[in-house]
Every structure is written in C-alpha cells, then in structure tokens.
Amino acid sequence: MRHVTETQRTTVMVVDDHPMWRDGVSRDLEGSGFTVVATADSVASAATRAQATQPQVVLMDMQLPDGNGAEATARVLEVAPHANVLVLSASSERDDVLQAVKAGACGYLVKSASAAELLDAVNATADGQAVFTPGLAGLVLGEYRRMASEPTPAGTEPTPSLTPRELEVLRLVAKGLSAKQIGRRLDVSHRTVENHVQATLRKLQLSNRIELTRYAIEHELD
C-alpha cells in the first residue's frame, strides 16, 4: 500500500444501496488513507454526486434500486469522465461483468474479496490499472477476442504510429500484466512503463487499460 500525504489522498465515491455495507467500506477506505467524497444508493444519486464531487475512483455495486451498476457506470462517466470505476459486487455472472466493462468500468471485484484486496484494488484503479477477481479477466479478454473476430466496419481510422517500445508495452498490457510486472519483463522502471502507457493512451485517444486491451486484441497485437 502506498503512503500518501493529505494533498495526495485519492478521492473515492462509494455506490451501494445497503447502508451497513456502504458505511463499512467507507470507514475502511478513510482509515487507509483515502478520502471518501460522496456515497450514493442509486443510479440517480450516483450521477448527481459524481458530478458534484468528481471522484478519482468510484466503487460501484451492480444491483441498485433504480437500475444496475452498468447503467450507473455510464451515467457517472458522462458527468465525471476522468473517474475510474471499479465494480464491487456480490455477482460474478458473465453478463454482469461484461455489461459493466462495456459501460466503462476499469475492473470488477466480487464482495468476497478481503479488505486488503479491496484497498489494493482501489489503489490500482486510481492508477488506471484494470483489476479483476481471478478468473474474470479471462472472461473479459475472451469477449474482446470474440468481438475482434467480427468484420471491421468500413471507414475505420488507420492505426496511429506507435514506437516499438510502446507496441511492446501494449502487448504486455493486453496480457493483463501490471506496470511492475512489465517493468521487470523489460528491465525498466514501472514509472517508465506508465509513461509509455500514458503516451499510448494519448496517441490512440483511449481512456484506460481496458480500452487499451480491447484495442490490442482488435488489432491482433496480443
């Protein structure tokens, strides 16, 4: 767990319709150095409070009284486009996972995860990493591969020029490796890896590693 100063504290919004769970997670986050700037219990309140607080990370439940977490994720990202959404749900159903990711979620963690796993996942999500409960990442990659096998629409934009090292990093991101793992593989620092990732995101006009992974698979770079 990284240590942060008061000015560096990651801001988080917790969305869950169960008050005890929502309050418990919020306390754990605050006690571990995060700042919980808002909580919400519905799709509508999630969108309203995300717009007002612009959190860096949104912890999102999949079952809400006025819709689901995928709908809430899409609504939140419309009003807080720089937020990274991590779904924290009791469900590990395929459709729930894929709906959340397609709506823009960066990762998906089941509620059986330990407190330490959750805190590590929030840290990773704040850094833009894709975080999944073991087994779910493969499901998402499989869906992207299926989508990539479909015919490419006419008029698709040409691939922007990436450097050889950016392509190398992109391939490893698509395999699910973290920045530290990629750094060890390439014998560079994880900060150098992050710089390559950010440069690639800018060139491809993408938002996060999930979109990078999909891009790599669609262009057969994985």
Side-chain angles (χ1 to χ4, degrees):
M1 183 71 62
R2 64 186 177 186
H3 296 287
V4 296
T5 65
E6 190 67 27
T7 57
Q8 295 173 324
R9 287 163 66 101
T10 297
T11 57
V12 185
M13 180 172 77
V14 180
V15 183
D16 196 294
D17 64 335
H18 291 88
M20 289 183 63
W21 178 270
R22 186 175 63 241
D23 294 346
V25 169
S26 298
R27 282 194 300 270
D28 287 346
L29 291 169
E30 289 279 359
S32 297
F34 299 96
T35 297
V36 177
V37 292
T39 62
D41 60 4
S42 65
V43 174
S45 61
T48 299
R49 292 169 189 173
Q51 184 171 29
T53 60
Q54 298 295 310
Q56 294 169 266
V57 176
V58 178
L59 276 181
M60 179 71 69
D61 190 21
M62 277 302 288
Q63 303 300 325
L64 298 169
D66 58 344
N68 62 35
E71 180 184 349
T73 293
R75 291 274 301 278
V76 163
L77 292 176
E78 285 178 359
V79 297
H82 298 295
N84 291 322
V85 178
L86 173 64
V87 171
L88 180 62
S89 175
S91 169
S92 59
E93 292 295 322
R94 175 183 182 278
D95 287 348
D96 285 341
V97 178
L98 296 180
Q99 283 180 23
V101 171
K102 289 175 181 178
C106 290
Y108 197 107
L109 204 64
V110 297
K111 286 184 175 179
S112 58
S114 68
E117 289 172 332
L118 172 59
L119 296 173
D120 285 345
V122 174
N123 261 327
T125 301
D127 288 337
Q129 297 183 39
V131 181
F132 290 92
T133 292
L136 297 185
L139 186 157
V140 175
L141 290 174
E143 177 67 6
Y144 281 169
R145 289 191 175 93
R146 183 195 66 77
M147 294 170 64
S149 68
E150 297 175 351
T152 303
T156 300
E157 292 294 321
T159 303
S161 176
L162 299 178
T163 67
R165 182 46 65 94
E166 287 168 350
L167 282 169
E168 194 172 17
V169 170
L170 177 55
R171 289 188 180 97
L172 295 174
V173 168
K175 294 180 185 297
L177 274 65
S178 68
K180 289 182 179 179
Q181 290 171 324
I182 295 172
R184 288 194 293 268
R185 180 80 63 91
L186 301 181
D187 196 26
V188 297
S189 73
H190 75 279
R191 293 186 185 278
T192 297
V193 173
E194 288 292 347
N195 288 338
H196 286 308
V197 169
Q198 292 305 315
T200 303
L201 286 170
R202 286 194 298 272
K203 286 184 179 181
L204 302 180
Q205 298 183 341
L206 302 175
S207 301
N208 54 52
R209 283 168 174 76
I210 287 288
E211 294 181 1
L212 270 184
T213 299
R214 179 173 178 178
Y215 178 93
I217 292 170
E218 287 177 341
H219 292 79
E220 299 183 350
L221 300 176
D222 64 318

